[in-house]
Amino acid sequence: MSVVDNLAKIDQKIEQACKNSGRSKNEITLIAVTKYVTTERAQEALEAGIKHLGENRKEGLLEKYEEIGDQATWHFIGSLQSRKVKDVIGQVSMIHSLDRKSLAKEINKRANCPVPCFIQVNISEEESKHGLAASEVESFIEVLSHYQNVKVVGLMTMAPHTDDEEKLRGVFRQLRALRDRIRDKGYRHAPCEYLSMGMSNDFALAIEEGATHIRLGSSLVGE
Ligand SMILES: *Cc1c(COP(=O)(O)O)cnc(C)c1O
């Protein structure tokens, strides 16, 4: 399927989810996750009108950035090794996977202006997933006030792989409640307005539960 065809279906689902929850489509940033696909396919996504691309590895990001450059807004969505920060910091607009102090320290050192970051939270506490436990997030955010080039714009999670709708909604609601609590504290370094949640399998539910950034790979740019 072409990206245009995939996008048409996804757009309908986004609209329906917005309608169901009384939200506006303008609140949702659609990120095409291009980690599985070629640079040509990523370019096809841009031609279809998608502006945000997500990669989870330094190599994939740099390979595509070489061709596409700043025609796209780049999101780093995977676990990021501190030693690779210097290689991607000039290319990415947002980092969705901030999960430890050593990474914040490196971002702070390498960036020359505040980098919008999401803190990755392992709401479902699956061993296989990265991210802080929900109970660790608030103290972590307080530590981050020392790093002036790290700006916490929101929280990110990956929901468990399941079709259990109530379970998925439960995860999204917990992330949202945590976001609300942090946002209401009014930290200057952590406005924490956004929620990066929702992938191919669960994005409609994520939108109904408040997602502002959805990250779609297989359903959008998959063949
Ligand atoms: C791969 C990936 C996605 C996209 O997954 P799909 O199920 O293909 O939509 C989203 N977020 C992260 C962090 C990923 O690694």
Side-chain angles (χ1 to χ4, degrees):
M1 290 273 268
S2 68
V3 176
V4 169
D5 289 341
N6 291 338
L7 181 60
K9 287 190 191 146
I10 286 166
D11 259 336
Q12 276 187 348
K13 288 189 187 164
I14 293 174
E15 255 162 49
Q16 187 61 49
C18 284
K19 209 166 151 190
N20 293 346
S21 51
R23 302 186 63 199
S24 150
K25 235 184 124 189
N26 309 330
E27 298 170 30
I28 317 291
T29 299
L30 171 61
I31 301 166
V33 176
T34 49
K35 68 187 186 195
Y36 311 111
V37 302
T38 60
T39 303
E40 289 68 42
R41 191 73 168 167
Q43 271 160 336
E44 195 188 325
L46 292 178
E47 281 156 24
I50 294 165
K51 299 186 175 62
H52 297 263
L53 301 183
E55 282 284 331
N56 68 340
R57 291 176 56 246
K58 167 195 145 181
E59 293 75 14
L61 172 78
L62 295 183
E63 190 185 310
K64 293 190 178 73
Y65 187 85
E66 203 169 306
E67 298 292 321
I68 294 174
D70 293 330
Q71 292 174 72
T73 299
W74 294 94
H75 296 255
F76 200 91
I77 62 168
S79 64
L80 180 55
Q81 288 172 284
S82 297
R83 66 187 168 85
K84 295 186 176 175
V85 166
K86 64 178 183 311
D87 305 317
V88 302
I89 201 75
Q91 285 78 12
V92 299
S93 293
M94 284 187 165
I95 295 173
H96 290 241
S97 47
L98 178 56
D99 61 354
R100 58 193 193 279
K101 189 175 160 183
S102 56
L103 179 58
K105 194 172 170 190
E106 186 67 14
I107 293 169
N108 189 57
K109 178 174 156 192
R110 299 290 180 178
N112 46 29
C113 60
V115 180
C117 296
F118 290 84
I119 293 175
Q120 184 167 353
V121 190
N122 187 358
I123 293 283
S124 52
E125 302 206 354
E126 285 177 279
E127 296 244 358
S128 60
K129 293 209 160 52
H130 293 271
L132 295 169
S135 59
E136 300 170 322
V137 174
E138 284 167 271
S139 55
F140 182 60
I141 285 186
E142 285 175 10
V143 169
L144 295 181
S145 66
H146 302 295
Y147 302 122
Q148 62 181 33
N149 284 337
V150 175
K151 183 175 181 188
V152 179
V153 296
L155 303 180
M156 178 273 216
T157 200
M158 289 175 81
H161 198 83
T162 173
D163 291 326
D164 182 338
E165 193 179 310
E166 279 315 306
K167 193 167 176 183
L168 290 166
R169 284 189 191 276
V171 167
F172 297 142
R173 280 179 196 151
Q174 282 180 62
L175 194 72
R176 180 184 182 154
L178 186 58
R179 188 277 314 261
D180 290 350
R181 212 161 55 231
I182 295 163
R183 186 182 57 185
D184 291 349
K185 290 193 174 174
Y187 292 116
R188 277 187 60 199
H189 71 291
C192 203
E193 292 172 282
Y194 301 139
L195 287 170
S196 172
M197 58 189 196
M199 305 177 18
S200 290
N201 188 47
D202 55 25
F203 71 90
L205 297 176
I207 289 171
E208 290 181 10
E209 300 300 340
T212 61
H213 292 67
I214 58 173
R215 312 178 308 267
L216 305 188
S218 46
S219 62
L220 180 54
V221 291
E223 310 286 335

